Amino acid sequence: MTSLHYTIRALLAGTFLLASHSAQAISFLLPENPKDSLVQEFAEGKNKQTLASKDEDLLDIARRFDLGQNEIIRLNPDVDRWMPKAGAKIQLQSERLLPDAPRSGLVLNLPEFRLYYFPKPQNYGPAFVITHPVSIGRQDWETPLGQTRIVEKKENPTWTPPESIKKEHAAKGDPLPDVVPAGPNNPLGLFAMRLGIPGYLIHSTNKPYGVGLRVSHGCIRMYPEDMNTLFPVIKVGEPVTIVNQAVKVGWGGNNLYIEVHPPLENHESDNLLDIALDLIERANNGVLPVLDGAALRNALTDRKGLPIKIYEQTSLSTSEEVIDLN
């Protein structure tokens, strides 16, 4: 893509954001080639950074840039979470690989702690994906996987805690009422969308600093400002796909990328290298090419959730190449 072409597409993206009142969202233009999965804010994949101010911690910065707590900490392992030095450079994220899922409706990738929304293009405009960080279910209250739909939307919802949650709170000396009224102390926040899987919601939260963590009883929590902008545009019946993809592999032009996230606790024994090689072979028409072994190894070890280039397709590429991880 030429620099001029990219600039035009970026301007169109800005127009869409203003029109849809989604200023808090991270929005990417979808790749022109449907086989590509890499989405970027910048033409050359430049690193996105900001400077810490004296009045904010890493969680404040994460929320300002629509990142989850897990992402901001993983991207900045050497920065103090609670007292970053004023003026410290904070690494952000400006590119991602889309999950391997239908590019329609809502897609949630649990190990990524992230939701992707694929709105239908309006008036022959460009196609976008809008993405937000989320919280997911704790290990003992896992968020379910699979295909479902939005079956109900509720503004200013009340919350009727199930008996299991009431017993848990009672055991901690924090009893819950039979019904929690709508308002600022309601854990569901101001907006909630019910999934077709009974008992599960996508909703706002009164504990925003938990976004990006496994803290819920299985529901999907979002920053209040993200839910405020997403709720009006989601329709009842919108498809929802929930996946578990700690490893994502995809193309960006002639380059093949891998993006690795820490697996969920109950999947820590998964062999990520085997998963990665299977995905790479599938992405490359059943052929395992000669890869950048060091880049692949670092991605699988660091698990920072950043797209890493591991292969470049050229006219000299052969059909029977192998990988060297040494």
Side-chain angles (χ1 to χ4, degrees):
M1 182 184 300
T2 67
S3 176
L4 176 60
H5 193 180
Y6 185 92
T7 300
I8 292 172
R9 284 169 62 83
L11 288 173
L12 288 171
T15 301
F16 176 86
L17 286 177
L18 290 173
S20 65
H21 306 291
S22 298
Q24 295 292 335
I26 298 177
S27 178
F28 299 101
L29 287 158
L30 287 180
E32 293 182 315
N33 189 334
K35 83 174 183 65
D36 286 353
S37 299
L38 182 71
V39 291
Q40 299 172 292
E41 284 188 54
F42 306 108
E44 305 302 329
K46 300 173 184 176
N47 289 329
K48 183 177 179 180
Q49 295 182 334
T50 190
L51 299 180
S53 75
K54 64 177 182 178
D55 299 321
E56 58 184 359
D57 57 31
L58 275 186
L59 277 59
D60 295 322
I61 297 171
R63 188 171 180 181
R64 179 154 59 95
F65 287 95
D66 212 25
L67 298 173
Q69 183 176 159
N70 62 319
E71 295 174 302
I72 199 77
I73 292 171
R74 196 163 65 239
L75 291 170
N76 299 277
D78 299 324
V79 178
D80 189 292
R81 181 188 313 199
W82 305 114
M83 297 183 65
K85 293 181 180 179
K89 289 183 179 180
I90 306 300
Q91 174 75 38
L92 304 172
Q93 188 145 356
S94 58
E95 54 186 6
R96 300 178 183 275
L97 290 177
L98 298 174
D100 182 13
R103 296 179 185 178
S104 64
L106 296 167
V107 176
L108 293 97
N109 186 18
L110 300 188
E112 194 178 356
F113 292 82
R114 188 155 281 274
L115 172 152
Y116 293 84
Y117 171 50
F118 297 86
K120 294 180 180 178
Q122 300 294 319
N123 299 324
Y124 304 100
F128 293 87
V129 59
I130 296 170
T131 179
H132 295 291
V134 298
S135 295
I136 66 173
R138 297 172 351 205
Q139 189 172 1
D140 53 339
W141 293 84
E142 291 185 9
T143 301
L145 301 173
Q147 298 272 352
T148 185
R149 292 185 176 274
I150 301 295
V151 297
E152 183 184 17
K153 295 173 60 179
K154 186 72 173 179
E155 188 172 350
N156 294 317
T158 59
W159 180 44
T160 303
E163 286 301 317
S164 56
I165 296 179
K166 290 174 68 176
K167 289 180 180 178
E168 180 185 71
H169 277 255
K172 297 178 180 178
D174 179 29
L176 291 171
D178 292 335
V179 178
V180 179
N185 295 322
N186 190 311
L188 302 185
L190 298 179
F191 299 99
M193 301 187 294
R194 187 172 300 279
L195 300 179
I197 304 171
Y200 293 92
L201 305 168
I202 301 174
H203 63 83
S204 184
T205 179
N206 62 347
K207 297 179 179 179
Y209 291 121
V211 170
L213 301 177
R214 297 193 75 171
V215 293
S216 80
H217 291 90
C219 289
I220 303 297
R221 299 180 185 176
M222 299 179 63
Y223 286 132
E225 59 271 22
D226 288 347
M227 194 60 175
N228 291 352
T229 57
L230 186 66
F231 184 86
V233 299
I234 299 296
K235 295 180 173 60
V236 171
E238 197 87 58
V240 179
T241 304
I242 306 175
V243 298
N244 175 15
Q245 296 176 7
V247 180
K248 297 187 290 182
V249 171
W251 291 95
N254 291 326
N255 298 320
L256 187 64
Y257 294 83
I258 188 169
E259 180 182 310
V260 184
H261 298 263
L264 301 177
E265 288 90 337
N266 52 327
H267 288 270
E268 287 179 342
S269 61
D270 290 355
N271 189 320
L272 297 188
L273 175 59
D274 285 347
I275 293 172
L277 295 179
D278 287 344
L279 292 174
I280 291 165
E281 187 173 346
R282 189 171 71 183
N284 197 44
N285 296 321
V287 176
L288 188 63
V290 171
L291 304 172
D292 183 334
L296 176 59
R297 183 174 59 250
N298 290 339
L300 291 169
T301 301
D302 295 342
R303 303 175 184 180
K304 286 191 172 182
L306 294 169
I308 304 296
K309 187 173 80 170
I310 53 174
Y311 172 65
E312 182 174 358
Q313 190 176 53
T314 68
S315 58
L316 300 178
S317 298
T318 65
S319 60
E320 296 185 2
E321 297 175 331
V322 296
I323 180 176
D324 181 6
L325 287 176
N326 297 320

Short mmCIF file of all heavy atoms in Angstrom, two decimals, residues 146-189:
data_model
loop_
_atom_site.label_atom_id
_atom_site.label_comp_id
_atom_site.label_asym_id
_atom_site.label_seq_id
_atom_site.Cartn_x
_atom_site.Cartn_y
_atom_site.Cartn_z
N GLY A 146 -17.57 -20.60 22.26
CA GLY A 146 -18.55 -21.04 21.27
C GLY A 146 -19.26 -19.89 20.59
O GLY A 146 -18.91 -18.71 20.74
N GLN A 147 -20.27 -20.25 19.82
CA GLN A 147 -21.07 -19.31 19.04
C GLN A 147 -22.36 -19.01 19.79
O GLN A 147 -23.02 -19.92 20.28
CB GLN A 147 -21.41 -19.92 17.67
CG GLN A 147 -20.22 -20.23 16.81
CD GLN A 147 -19.79 -19.06 15.95
OE1 GLN A 147 -20.48 -18.05 15.91
NE2 GLN A 147 -18.67 -19.19 15.26
N THR A 148 -22.71 -17.74 19.86
CA THR A 148 -23.97 -17.35 20.48
C THR A 148 -24.41 -16.03 19.85
O THR A 148 -23.90 -15.62 18.81
CB THR A 148 -23.83 -17.25 22.02
OG1 THR A 148 -25.12 -16.97 22.58
CG2 THR A 148 -22.85 -16.16 22.43
N ARG A 149 -25.37 -15.36 20.49
CA ARG A 149 -25.88 -14.09 19.98
C ARG A 149 -26.25 -13.18 21.14
O ARG A 149 -26.40 -13.63 22.27
CB ARG A 149 -27.12 -14.29 19.09
CG ARG A 149 -26.81 -14.99 17.79
CD ARG A 149 -28.02 -15.08 16.86
NE ARG A 149 -27.64 -15.68 15.59
CZ ARG A 149 -27.15 -15.00 14.57
NH1 ARG A 149 -27.02 -13.69 14.65
NH2 ARG A 149 -26.82 -15.61 13.45
N ILE A 150 -26.39 -11.90 20.83
CA ILE A 150 -26.97 -10.96 21.79
C ILE A 150 -28.48 -11.17 21.77
O ILE A 150 -29.11 -11.04 20.73
CB ILE A 150 -26.63 -9.50 21.44
CG1 ILE A 150 -25.10 -9.28 21.41
CG2 ILE A 150 -27.31 -8.55 22.42
CD1 ILE A 150 -24.42 -9.44 22.73
N VAL A 151 -29.06 -11.52 22.92
CA VAL A 151 -30.49 -11.81 22.95
C VAL A 151 -31.28 -10.73 23.67
O VAL A 151 -32.52 -10.69 23.56
CB VAL A 151 -30.77 -13.18 23.59
CG1 VAL A 151 -30.14 -14.29 22.76
CG2 VAL A 151 -30.28 -13.24 25.03
N GLU A 152 -30.59 -9.84 24.40
CA GLU A 152 -31.30 -8.77 25.11
C GLU A 152 -30.32 -7.66 25.45
O GLU A 152 -29.15 -7.92 25.73
CB GLU A 152 -31.94 -9.30 26.40
CG GLU A 152 -32.76 -8.26 27.16
CD GLU A 152 -33.29 -8.79 28.47
OE1 GLU A 152 -32.80 -9.82 28.96
OE2 GLU A 152 -34.21 -8.15 29.04
N LYS A 153 -30.81 -6.42 25.40
CA LYS A 153 -30.04 -5.26 25.82
C LYS A 153 -30.79 -4.55 26.93
O LYS A 153 -32.01 -4.41 26.86
CB LYS A 153 -29.83 -4.30 24.64
CG LYS A 153 -28.98 -4.87 23.51
CD LYS A 153 -28.95 -3.93 22.31
CE LYS A 153 -28.38 -2.58 22.67
NZ LYS A 153 -28.32 -1.66 21.51
N LYS A 154 -30.04 -4.10 27.94
CA LYS A 154 -30.69 -3.47 29.09
C LYS A 154 -29.91 -2.25 29.53
O LYS A 154 -28.73 -2.32 29.81
CB LYS A 154 -30.78 -4.47 30.25
CG LYS A 154 -31.57 -3.98 31.44
CD LYS A 154 -33.07 -3.94 31.15
CE LYS A 154 -33.87 -3.61 32.39
NZ LYS A 154 -35.32 -3.54 32.11
N GLU A 155 -30.60 -1.10 29.59
CA GLU A 155 -30.01 0.12 30.12
C GLU A 155 -30.41 0.26 31.58
O GLU A 155 -31.53 -0.06 31.97
CB GLU A 155 -30.51 1.32 29.31
CG GLU A 155 -29.82 2.62 29.64
CD GLU A 155 -30.20 3.73 28.69
OE1 GLU A 155 -30.85 3.44 27.66
OE2 GLU A 155 -29.83 4.91 28.96
N ASN A 156 -29.45 0.72 32.40
CA ASN A 156 -29.65 0.83 33.86
C ASN A 156 -30.18 -0.49 34.43
O ASN A 156 -31.24 -0.54 35.06
CB ASN A 156 -30.62 1.97 34.19
CG ASN A 156 -30.05 3.32 33.84
OD1 ASN A 156 -28.88 3.59 34.11
ND2 ASN A 156 -30.86 4.17 33.22
N PRO A 157 -29.43 -1.57 34.23
CA PRO A 157 -29.92 -2.87 34.67
C PRO A 157 -29.85 -3.03 36.20
O PRO A 157 -29.00 -2.43 36.87
CB PRO A 157 -28.95 -3.85 34.00
CG PRO A 157 -27.67 -3.07 33.91
CD PRO A 157 -28.09 -1.65 33.63
N THR A 158 -30.77 -3.79 36.74
CA THR A 158 -30.62 -4.29 38.11
C THR A 158 -29.86 -5.62 38.02
O THR A 158 -29.73 -6.20 36.94
CB THR A 158 -31.98 -4.53 38.77
OG1 THR A 158 -32.72 -5.48 37.99
CG2 THR A 158 -32.76 -3.22 38.85
N TRP A 159 -29.37 -6.09 39.16
CA TRP A 159 -28.63 -7.35 39.17
C TRP A 159 -29.22 -8.27 40.22
O TRP A 159 -29.33 -7.89 41.39
CB TRP A 159 -27.15 -7.11 39.46
CG TRP A 159 -26.33 -8.37 39.49
CD1 TRP A 159 -26.39 -9.41 38.61
CD2 TRP A 159 -25.32 -8.72 40.45
NE1 TRP A 159 -25.48 -10.38 38.95
CE2 TRP A 159 -24.81 -9.99 40.08
CE3 TRP A 159 -24.81 -8.08 41.58
CZ2 TRP A 159 -23.81 -10.63 40.81
CZ3 TRP A 159 -23.80 -8.71 42.31
CH2 TRP A 159 -23.31 -9.98 41.91
N THR A 160 -29.62 -9.44 39.78
CA THR A 160 -30.12 -10.47 40.69
C THR A 160 -29.02 -11.52 40.83
O THR A 160 -28.89 -12.41 39.97
CB THR A 160 -31.41 -11.10 40.16
OG1 THR A 160 -32.39 -10.09 39.94
CG2 THR A 160 -31.95 -12.12 41.15
N PRO A 161 -28.20 -11.43 41.88
CA PRO A 161 -27.08 -12.37 41.99
C PRO A 161 -27.58 -13.79 42.21
O PRO A 161 -28.49 -14.02 43.01
CB PRO A 161 -26.30 -11.86 43.22
CG PRO A 161 -27.26 -11.00 43.97
CD PRO A 161 -28.22 -10.45 42.97
N PRO A 162 -27.00 -14.76 41.49
CA PRO A 162 -27.39 -16.17 41.71
C PRO A 162 -26.96 -16.64 43.09
O PRO A 162 -26.10 -16.03 43.75
CB PRO A 162 -26.64 -16.91 40.60
CG PRO A 162 -25.55 -16.01 40.18
CD PRO A 162 -26.01 -14.62 40.42
N GLU A 163 -27.57 -17.73 43.54
CA GLU A 163 -27.31 -18.24 44.88
C GLU A 163 -25.84 -18.55 45.10
O GLU A 163 -25.31 -18.36 46.19
CB GLU A 163 -28.17 -19.48 45.14
CG GLU A 163 -29.64 -19.18 45.37
CD GLU A 163 -29.86 -18.25 46.56
OE1 GLU A 163 -29.20 -18.44 47.60
OE2 GLU A 163 -30.68 -17.32 46.43
N SER A 164 -25.16 -19.06 44.05
CA SER A 164 -23.75 -19.41 44.20
C SER A 164 -22.90 -18.19 44.54
O SER A 164 -21.99 -18.25 45.38
CB SER A 164 -23.23 -20.07 42.92
OG SER A 164 -23.45 -19.22 41.80
N ILE A 165 -23.20 -17.06 43.91
CA ILE A 165 -22.44 -15.84 44.18
C ILE A 165 -22.82 -15.27 45.53
O ILE A 165 -21.98 -14.75 46.28
CB ILE A 165 -22.66 -14.82 43.05
CG1 ILE A 165 -22.11 -15.37 41.71
CG2 ILE A 165 -22.01 -13.48 43.38
CD1 ILE A 165 -22.30 -14.45 40.54
N LYS A 166 -24.10 -15.37 45.90
CA LYS A 166 -24.52 -14.90 47.22
C LYS A 166 -23.83 -15.68 48.33
O LYS A 166 -23.39 -15.11 49.34
CB LYS A 166 -26.04 -15.00 47.34
CG LYS A 166 -26.80 -14.01 46.48
CD LYS A 166 -28.30 -14.25 46.51
CE LYS A 166 -28.89 -13.93 47.87
NZ LYS A 166 -30.37 -14.07 47.87
N LYS A 167 -23.69 -16.99 48.15
CA LYS A 167 -23.00 -17.81 49.15
C LYS A 167 -21.53 -17.43 49.24
O LYS A 167 -20.95 -17.37 50.33
CB LYS A 167 -23.15 -19.29 48.80
CG LYS A 167 -24.55 -19.84 48.99
CD LYS A 167 -24.62 -21.31 48.61
CE LYS A 167 -26.03 -21.87 48.79
NZ LYS A 167 -26.11 -23.31 48.39
N GLU A 168 -20.91 -17.17 48.10
CA GLU A 168 -19.50 -16.78 48.09
C GLU A 168 -19.29 -15.48 48.85
O GLU A 168 -18.37 -15.34 49.66
CB GLU A 168 -19.01 -16.63 46.65
CG GLU A 168 -17.55 -16.22 46.52
CD GLU A 168 -17.16 -15.98 45.08
OE1 GLU A 168 -17.62 -14.97 44.50
OE2 GLU A 168 -16.39 -16.79 44.54
N HIS A 169 -20.15 -14.49 48.61
CA HIS A 169 -20.03 -13.21 49.30
C HIS A 169 -20.34 -13.34 50.78
O HIS A 169 -19.69 -12.71 51.62
CB HIS A 169 -20.95 -12.18 48.64
CG HIS A 169 -20.36 -11.53 47.43
ND1 HIS A 169 -19.88 -10.24 47.43
CD2 HIS A 169 -20.16 -12.00 46.18
CE1 HIS A 169 -19.42 -9.94 46.24
NE2 HIS A 169 -19.58 -10.99 45.45
N ALA A 170 -21.33 -14.15 51.11
CA ALA A 170 -21.69 -14.34 52.51
C ALA A 170 -20.53 -14.96 53.29
O ALA A 170 -20.26 -14.60 54.45
CB ALA A 170 -22.93 -15.20 52.63
N ALA A 171 -19.81 -15.89 52.64
CA ALA A 171 -18.68 -16.54 53.30
C ALA A 171 -17.55 -15.55 53.58
O ALA A 171 -16.74 -15.76 54.48
CB ALA A 171 -18.17 -17.69 52.44
N LYS A 172 -17.51 -14.47 52.82
CA LYS A 172 -16.48 -13.44 53.02
C LYS A 172 -16.96 -12.32 53.94
O LYS A 172 -16.26 -11.32 54.12
CB LYS A 172 -16.07 -12.84 51.66
CG LYS A 172 -15.42 -13.84 50.70
CD LYS A 172 -15.11 -13.16 49.38
CE LYS A 172 -14.45 -14.13 48.40
NZ LYS A 172 -14.18 -13.49 47.08
N GLY A 173 -18.17 -12.47 54.48
CA GLY A 173 -18.71 -11.42 55.33
C GLY A 173 -19.22 -10.22 54.57
O GLY A 173 -19.31 -9.11 55.11
N ASP A 174 -19.56 -10.43 53.30
CA ASP A 174 -20.05 -9.35 52.44
C ASP A 174 -21.36 -9.78 51.80
O ASP A 174 -21.42 -10.02 50.59
CB ASP A 174 -18.98 -9.03 51.38
CG ASP A 174 -19.42 -7.93 50.42
OD1 ASP A 174 -20.21 -7.05 50.84
OD2 ASP A 174 -18.98 -7.95 49.25
N PRO A 175 -22.42 -9.91 52.56
CA PRO A 175 -23.68 -10.44 52.02
C PRO A 175 -24.27 -9.52 50.95
O PRO A 175 -24.15 -8.30 51.03
CB PRO A 175 -24.59 -10.52 53.24
CG PRO A 175 -24.02 -9.53 54.21
CD PRO A 175 -22.54 -9.54 53.99
N LEU A 176 -24.89 -10.14 49.97
CA LEU A 176 -25.52 -9.41 48.88
C LEU A 176 -27.03 -9.43 49.05
O LEU A 176 -27.60 -10.41 49.54
CB LEU A 176 -25.17 -10.05 47.53
CG LEU A 176 -23.72 -9.93 47.05
CD1 LEU A 176 -23.51 -10.79 45.82
CD2 LEU A 176 -23.35 -8.48 46.76
N PRO A 177 -27.72 -8.37 48.61
CA PRO A 177 -29.18 -8.40 48.62
C PRO A 177 -29.70 -9.31 47.51
O PRO A 177 -28.95 -9.73 46.62
CB PRO A 177 -29.54 -6.93 48.34
CG PRO A 177 -28.38 -6.40 47.56
CD PRO A 177 -27.17 -7.10 48.10
N ASP A 178 -30.98 -9.61 47.56
CA ASP A 178 -31.57 -10.45 46.51
C ASP A 178 -31.53 -9.74 45.16
O ASP A 178 -31.39 -10.39 44.13
CB ASP A 178 -33.02 -10.78 46.87
CG ASP A 178 -33.12 -11.71 48.07
OD1 ASP A 178 -32.15 -12.45 48.32
OD2 ASP A 178 -34.16 -11.69 48.76
N VAL A 179 -31.66 -8.41 45.19
CA VAL A 179 -31.59 -7.62 43.96
C VAL A 179 -30.75 -6.37 44.24
O VAL A 179 -31.02 -5.65 45.20
CB VAL A 179 -32.99 -7.20 43.46
CG1 VAL A 179 -32.86 -6.33 42.21
CG2 VAL A 179 -33.86 -8.42 43.17
N VAL A 180 -29.73 -6.16 43.39
CA VAL A 180 -28.92 -4.94 43.49
C VAL A 180 -29.54 -3.91 42.56
O VAL A 180 -29.65 -4.15 41.35
CB VAL A 180 -27.46 -5.21 43.10
CG1 VAL A 180 -26.64 -3.92 43.18
CG2 VAL A 180 -26.85 -6.28 43.99
N PRO A 181 -29.98 -2.77 43.07
CA PRO A 181 -30.66 -1.79 42.22
C PRO A 181 -29.70 -1.15 41.22
O PRO A 181 -28.48 -1.18 41.39
CB PRO A 181 -31.18 -0.75 43.22
CG PRO A 181 -30.27 -0.87 44.39
CD PRO A 181 -29.89 -2.31 44.47
N ALA A 182 -30.28 -0.57 40.18
CA ALA A 182 -29.48 0.16 39.20
C ALA A 182 -28.81 1.34 39.87
O ALA A 182 -29.33 1.91 40.84
CB ALA A 182 -30.37 0.62 38.05
N GLY A 183 -27.64 1.71 39.35
CA GLY A 183 -26.93 2.85 39.92
C GLY A 183 -25.43 2.64 39.94
O GLY A 183 -24.92 1.62 39.45
N PRO A 184 -24.70 3.59 40.50
CA PRO A 184 -23.23 3.55 40.44
C PRO A 184 -22.61 2.38 41.20
O PRO A 184 -21.46 2.03 40.93
CB PRO A 184 -22.82 4.89 41.06
CG PRO A 184 -24.00 5.30 41.90
CD PRO A 184 -25.20 4.80 41.17
N ASN A 185 -23.33 1.78 42.14
CA ASN A 185 -22.79 0.66 42.90
C ASN A 185 -23.16 -0.69 42.31
O ASN A 185 -22.80 -1.73 42.87
CB ASN A 185 -23.27 0.73 44.35
CG ASN A 185 -22.73 1.95 45.08
OD1 ASN A 185 -21.58 2.35 44.87
ND2 ASN A 185 -23.56 2.56 45.90
N ASN A 186 -23.86 -0.68 41.18
CA ASN A 186 -24.26 -1.93 40.55
C ASN A 186 -23.07 -2.48 39.75
O ASN A 186 -22.50 -1.78 38.91
CB ASN A 186 -25.44 -1.69 39.61
CG ASN A 186 -26.06 -2.98 39.11
OD1 ASN A 186 -25.36 -3.88 38.64
ND2 ASN A 186 -27.37 -3.08 39.21
N PRO A 187 -22.67 -3.74 39.99
CA PRO A 187 -21.53 -4.31 39.26
C PRO A 187 -21.72 -4.38 37.75
O PRO A 187 -20.74 -4.50 37.02
CB PRO A 187 -21.40 -5.73 39.85
CG PRO A 187 -22.04 -5.64 41.18
CD PRO A 187 -23.16 -4.66 41.03
N LEU A 188 -22.97 -4.29 37.28
CA LEU A 188 -23.22 -4.35 35.84
C LEU A 188 -23.05 -3.00 35.17
O LEU A 188 -23.10 -2.91 33.94
CB LEU A 188 -24.64 -4.86 35.56
CG LEU A 188 -25.00 -6.24 36.11
CD1 LEU A 188 -26.39 -6.64 35.64
CD2 LEU A 188 -23.97 -7.29 35.73
N GLY A 189 -22.85 -1.93 35.97
CA GLY A 189 -22.72 -0.61 35.37
C GLY A 189 -24.04 -0.12 34.80
O GLY A 189 -25.13 -0.54 35.24
#
